[in-house]
Amino acid sequence: MKGTTNTKWNNAFLALVFALLYLPIFYLIFYSFNAGGTMNAFTGFTWEHYQAVFEDTRLIGIVLNTFLLALLSALIATVIGTMGAIFIYYTKKRSTRNTLLSLNNVLMVSPDVIIGASLLILFTMLGFSLGFSSVLLSHIAFSIPIVVLMVLPKLYEMNDSMISAAQDLGASTSQVFSRILIPSITPGILSGFFMAFTYSLDDFAVTFFVTGNGFTTLAVEIYSRARRGVSLEINALSALMFLFTLLLVLGYYFIQQYGHNKHAQQLRAVGKRAGSERKVKKG
């Protein structure tokens, strides 16, 4: 009886948390269809705000730049972060490994304002012009620790005996890396890529510091427009971004499910093969 009561309270608390998180988003989306042009009262249904988004060529260009930036930074950060996670995993000295992990975690918990200001000072000292390149380097920098944290657990879950067996059978380092190591940690790599991609898409604080004239991202643009007054075009754009993020999460979920199902099929195939071999030996 006590367990049932606790479960009900847990479910109620979870429902409250989700309501607090999602109600403002649905409120914003609801008024993106308001013909009145304000968020004071809903006067009628219209698509004009969405039409205004697609007719705004400058805004479309910013959206494309934001997605290009997120894709490039996520790809580069995934490669570097995966190599970093492998390096940390195979570091023999425990103290060195713990130091590297601590340095990685410090970057995760550091405030975005501190990271943005530090990168701005660094670029200024180096005489690096602010723009697409500075924002790209900054997004790669704060995405790498995310990828490392996503990949490391998969490395610890990996069966090291497979690598030892492959090496004993004469496999080269490149073959072990491409055919055993990478396939074993692919779910972690995909998780790191999607996390880095979404972090880059919605980052504001770091980008605000390191962006320059002639280049901006969607988050910075929305902030600058919101300061000039409430526009339901922002609501429409935010609704589209929310829908895209939802599709991205669903796509990632189906990729994960496909990976789990494929792994389960491989385990079943191995079990059947082992069972048939036992029968042959008994026969």
Side-chain angles (χ1 to χ4, degrees):
M1 186 70 181
K2 187 177 180 180
T4 305
T5 305
N6 289 336
T7 302
K8 289 181 179 179
W9 278 109
N10 291 337
N11 292 336
F13 177 75
L14 189 62
L16 178 63
V17 170
F18 277 110
L20 290 173
L21 289 173
Y22 281 96
L23 280 177
I25 297 175
F26 292 140
Y27 178 80
L28 180 146
I29 295 173
F30 175 73
Y31 273 98
S32 69
F33 300 103
N34 185 20
T38 66
M39 296 179 67
N40 297 326
F42 193 86
T43 58
F45 183 88
T46 183
W47 290 99
E48 65 181 12
H49 306 299
Y50 289 88
Q51 184 179 354
V53 170
F54 288 104
E55 289 176 352
D56 191 338
T57 54
R58 180 178 181 276
L59 187 60
I60 295 299
I62 291 172
V63 171
L64 294 176
N65 285 337
T66 303
F67 278 103
L68 177 63
L69 174 72
L71 183 61
L72 285 176
S73 62
L75 283 172
I76 298 171
T78 300
V79 173
I80 299 174
T82 301
M83 296 299 105
I86 294 171
F87 176 78
I88 293 172
Y89 179 76
Y90 284 107
T91 299
K92 294 181 179 180
K93 290 185 66 174
R94 187 172 182 178
S95 59
T96 306
R97 186 167 62 249
N98 290 336
T99 301
L100 292 172
L101 281 173
S102 299
L103 292 173
N104 184 79
N105 294 336
V106 165
L107 293 174
M108 285 292 300
V109 299
S110 296
D112 288 345
V113 175
I114 302 299
I115 295 175
S118 302
L119 289 169
L120 175 61
I121 293 170
L122 175 64
F123 291 141
T124 304
M125 289 175 58
L126 296 176
F128 199 83
S129 60
L130 300 180
F132 178 81
S133 300
S134 62
V135 178
L136 177 62
L137 291 173
S138 302
H139 283 219
I140 293 170
F142 69 67
S143 296
I144 289 173
I146 301 169
V147 178
V148 171
L149 290 180
M150 293 292 107
V151 175
L152 267 177
K154 296 301 177 182
L155 285 167
Y156 286 114
E157 291 175 7
M158 183 180 63
N159 188 358
D160 289 331
S161 61
M162 294 189 301
I163 295 178
S164 301
Q167 291 173 339
D168 292 339
L169 292 171
S172 63
T173 303
S174 60
Q175 289 175 326
V176 171
F177 184 80
S178 61
R179 298 184 183 182
I180 297 176
L181 184 60
I182 293 299
S184 299
I185 62 174
T186 295
I189 295 174
L190 290 175
S191 299
F193 172 79
F194 279 104
M195 288 292 292
F197 185 80
T198 53
Y199 265 70
S200 178
L201 274 182
D202 66 5
D203 178 74
F204 168 76
V206 176
T207 306
F208 183 77
F209 277 94
V210 298
T211 191
N213 294 329
F215 180 79
T216 186
T217 62
L218 197 54
V220 177
E221 178 68 15
I222 290 175
Y223 171 75
S224 62
R225 292 194 180 202
R227 290 183 64 188
R228 296 196 295 265
V230 177
S231 171
L232 296 189
E233 187 178 343
I234 296 175
N235 290 42
L237 179 60
S238 301
L240 292 172
M241 291 299 297
F242 175 76
L243 179 61
F244 174 79
T245 305
L246 184 63
L247 293 174
L248 193 67
V249 171
L250 289 174
Y252 171 64
Y253 170 77
F254 285 119
I255 290 173
Q256 267 198 329
Q257 288 297 112
Y258 173 77
H260 289 318
N261 293 337
K262 187 175 181 180
H263 182 64
Q265 289 176 358
Q266 289 174 345
L267 290 177
R268 284 196 294 269
V270 171
K272 288 180 181 178
R273 195 180 302 120
S276 61
E277 288 177 357
R278 289 195 199 98
K279 289 180 181 179
V280 170
K281 287 179 180 179
K282 288 181 181 179

